[in-house]
Amino acid sequence: MPHKAVVIGAGTAGLVAAAALSLAEPTLQIHVLDRDELPQGPENRRGVPQGRHAHLLMAGGLSAMEDLFPVGVRDRLLKAGAHEIALSNGMLALTPDGSWFHRWKRSGPHMITCTRALTDWVLRQILLETRPGVSFHRATVEGFLGDARQVGGVRVGQDADAGLGPELEADIVVDASGRGSGSLAWLAGIGISGIEEKKIDSGLTNATRIYRTPAGAESFPLTLVQANPYNGRPGRSAMVLPIEGNRWMVSAAGTRGGEPPRDPEGFLEYALTLPHPIVGRLISGAEPLTDVAVSRGHSTDNNRRYLEKAGHWPERLIVLGDALATFNPAYGQGMSVAALGAQVLAREVRRHGLTGPGLSRRVLRGAARHVDTAWSTAVGVDVLYPDVVGARPRAADRVAAWYTNRLTRAATGTYEAASALWDVTSLTTPATRALRPRALLAALTGPALPKTSEPPLQPSEQRILDRLTGAAHPTAAPRPGRTS
Ligand SMILES: Cc1cc2nc3c(=O)[nH]c(=O)nc-3n(C[C@H](O)[C@H](O)[C@H](O)COP(=O)(O)OP(=O)(O)OC[C@H]3O[C@@H](n4cnc5c(N)ncnc54)[C@H](O)[C@@H]3O)c2cc1C
């Protein structure tokens, strides 16, 4: 009899978990359960409300996905209209101290930009095409079967697809049901409690609107005005990123007290009044295709469940993705951390077998190492914002923040510092990469190139920006302060 697995959730974490299990044990029957009816295309859905906002796929996450789906995830995404952005020269990014990153001739890591719906759709299609043991079912999980020693499946609600029954037995269960996961309550139901949890909330609000890419601007670089965590004021940021379908996704984000508004006029004004108005200037002449979508508060906090430290943990239960830890989305890490965690799952199942004793613990410990990297990046900065809930900056945080600020400043004009920063933010190396001697030296001596306080645009890009500025597309919001 082939072994059976249940994966709870068909978001990115559920998809990479199913890929990991089927790669490591090809005969496994894997039921992926989701409370949503899954769409027949790259569409947003209720269970993944964050899908309306920008989702950057970092190089570390993409490389883990390539490993788990060895049929060319990158190529499939690009073919479907995603963009590949070189961090070294495909971006315009303004740092907190007011200087722009130099655009280097040398190449660095890349990231993928497209809608979250497209990423999930491509991964799901690959699973359906290449992994006959994987099937998707509509069902809301309500609890675990088994006991504190070993989980033996899940209980599902009455909305489940016909034929599933109220109880689904499995040799292994992966909880990938996202930040609202019921894991802790479900664990309590089988006698496990007292798991340490930490929440750090900067009150980040995301506001996103999609525009048609203006004619001629198809190759305009991804544009980002970063938030400043060092001046004691709320963080405010915005970016324009190219996505499939010849569109720009424009996301603004503000921490508590600096939230971007939902109304189109306010949204444009927000972008125009950042430390540099470039995002507002770009969109003032672009055609909006949607309303402004807003996600507030707890959907963007850093929330960590220290499952790897639990005094007691049942066999045959793995938790991955947002159900394990979430991070302030400004750093674009969640999907990558989920994929890196799934890579650990594949490796451990190959080494020790699906039912090997201690498998769950080993996977949770391995996944926690990737969580650590992302957590330190996100929380190390978030604690500095005013009115953050859940933590106060300690002396060590202030030292780390001072160093990150120095390294970022150096990275605007010293290749070695830029390269260290890219590697850490791409999740291709541990955070300690930023402390290697050449990066350290660059951070201490400052940027080799002079500060640039205007974006490093090519002449053709400057012409596009000039053309869009004030061009006020007929369907765009009126410029703030203007009478119509
Ligand atoms: C505003 C915002 C922007 C973000 N930007 C980025 C970014 O740029 N880059 C990046 O890598 N990450 C980003 N993230 C994080 C990213 O969305 C997640 O980390 C990533 O999607 C992994 O999520 P997941 O699959 O664990 O959970 P989700 O994507 O939330 O999926 C969980 C799934 O489980 C299902 N489910 C829930 N409960 C049950 C149940 N009881 N039974 C059955 N099914 C259930 C849901 O319907 C859903 O399909 C962002 C997050 C936010 C909030």
Side-chain angles (χ1 to χ4, degrees):
M1 278 280 281
H3 284 124
K4 273 198 214 150
V6 161
V7 174
I8 314 169
T12 311
L15 297 168
V16 292
L21 290 171
S22 58
L23 191 69
E25 194 168 314
T27 58
L28 189 63
Q29 294 296 315
I30 303 168
H31 283 45
V32 183
L33 310 180
D34 203 287
R35 62 185 175 189
D36 271 359
E37 194 77 61
L38 299 179
Q40 295 304 310
E43 288 158 32
N44 285 331
R45 60 190 175 87
R46 234 178 111 205
V48 185
Q50 74 272 33
R52 292 168 304 161
H53 300 289
H55 269 70
L56 311 172
L57 178 56
M58 298 300 176
L62 178 63
S63 147
M65 286 179 190
E66 292 283 1
D67 184 35
L68 296 166
F69 301 84
V71 292
V73 174
R74 169 187 169 274
D75 293 350
R76 297 273 294 245
L77 285 168
L78 295 183
K79 208 168 157 206
H83 294 250
E84 189 168 46
I85 311 287
L87 301 195
S88 56
N89 51 32
M91 284 174 62
L92 299 168
L94 180 68
T95 61
D97 85 331
S99 36
W100 293 83
F101 283 105
H102 181 74
R103 289 165 78 185
W104 304 92
K105 289 209 171 70
R106 280 185 272 177
S107 184
H110 290 73
M111 66 181 166
I112 299 281
T113 63
C114 60
T115 57
R116 162 65 193 274
L118 182 66
T119 304
D120 283 6
W121 170 249
V122 165
L123 299 183
R124 183 149 55 94
Q125 289 309 106
I126 299 177
L127 281 176
L128 288 169
E129 287 163 19
T130 61
R131 310 286 166 93
V134 178
S135 56
F136 292 87
H137 308 269
R138 176 148 189 249
T140 302
V141 170
E142 295 182 342
F144 294 137
L145 302 178
D147 53 32
R149 199 182 48 82
Q150 184 168 308
V151 165
V154 294
R155 279 190 295 107
V156 299
Q158 288 179 348
D159 62 348
D161 278 349
L164 280 189
E167 296 193 341
L168 213 60
E169 292 188 354
D171 299 289
I172 190 161
V173 173
V174 180
D175 177 18
S177 63
R179 65 168 59 229
S181 162
S183 259
L184 296 191
W186 302 337
L187 280 163
I190 56 168
I192 294 182
S193 54
I195 287 171
E196 188 189 343
E197 201 178 1
K198 203 169 197 174
K199 281 185 208 260
I200 298 171
D201 182 7
S202 65
L204 191 82
T205 291
N206 279 82
T208 300
R209 194 172 200 198
I210 293 179
Y211 294 77
R212 193 183 308 287
T213 305
E218 293 77 12
S219 305
F220 200 87
L222 184 152
T223 303
L224 166 65
V225 176
Q226 293 182 343
N228 186 351
Y230 308 112
N231 62 6
R233 295 204 287 271
R236 297 167 79 241
S237 66
M239 79 176 147
V240 179
L241 70 148
I243 57 168
E244 74 276 12
N246 202 25
R247 294 173 298 165
W248 276 350
M249 184 177 259
V250 180
S251 258
T255 64
R256 195 166 283 112
E259 299 89 344
R262 184 188 291 275
D263 65 288
E265 295 81 4
F267 182 74
L268 175 59
E269 181 173 12
Y270 189 91
L272 284 167
T273 54
L274 292 172
H276 194 286
I278 186 166
V279 170
R281 289 175 62 191
L282 284 169
I283 60 175
S284 63
E287 178 191 358
L289 299 175
T290 65
D291 290 337
V292 180
V294 174
S295 288
R296 293 180 196 285
H298 71 278
S299 66
T300 55
D301 63 8
N302 305 278
N303 183 0
R304 184 157 184 188
R305 294 166 172 173
Y306 290 89
L307 307 182
E308 73 284 4
K309 292 187 182 165
H312 186 84
W313 187 260
E315 297 284 357
R316 316 279 180 95
L317 175 65
I318 312 284
V319 181
L320 288 178
D322 284 13
L324 179 60
T326 63
F327 319 96
N328 174 336
Y331 312 99
Q333 309 181 106
M335 295 188 296
S336 293
V337 172
L340 290 160
Q343 221 180 4
V344 174
L345 172 62
R347 189 182 66 220
E348 294 299 333
V349 172
R350 272 202 204 106
R351 275 188 196 156
H352 303 282
L354 192 75
T355 54
L359 176 84
S360 322
R361 276 271 195 212
R362 275 193 290 269
V363 175
L364 288 177
R365 285 199 192 115
R369 280 195 277 280
H370 296 295
V371 169
D372 283 341
T373 303
W375 183 261
S376 60
T377 302
V379 168
V381 172
D382 274 10
V383 291
L384 304 177
Y385 288 117
D387 303 324
V388 65
V389 174
R392 286 275 157 269
R394 299 159 303 158
D397 295 319
R398 293 200 185 281
V399 173
W402 173 83
Y403 184 73
T404 306
N405 193 14
R406 295 284 313 191
L407 183 68
T408 307
R409 190 179 301 163
T412 59
T414 302
Y415 187 82
E416 284 71 21
S419 160
L421 203 63
W422 299 329
D423 286 350
V424 175
T425 52
S426 297
L427 291 151
T428 52
T429 57
T432 47
R433 159 80 173 88
L435 296 171
R436 284 197 206 147
R438 290 166 87 167
L440 197 65
L441 186 67
L444 296 178
T445 52
L449 296 171
K451 176 171 173 165
T452 35
S453 45
E454 281 303 316
L457 293 160
Q458 312 284 349
S460 60
E461 295 162 356
Q462 183 66 57
R463 282 194 293 277
I464 291 167
L465 179 61
D466 292 343
R467 174 164 60 83
L468 292 172
T469 303
H473 193 277
T475 59
R479 287 283 298 275
R482 276 192 188 175
T483 49
S484 51

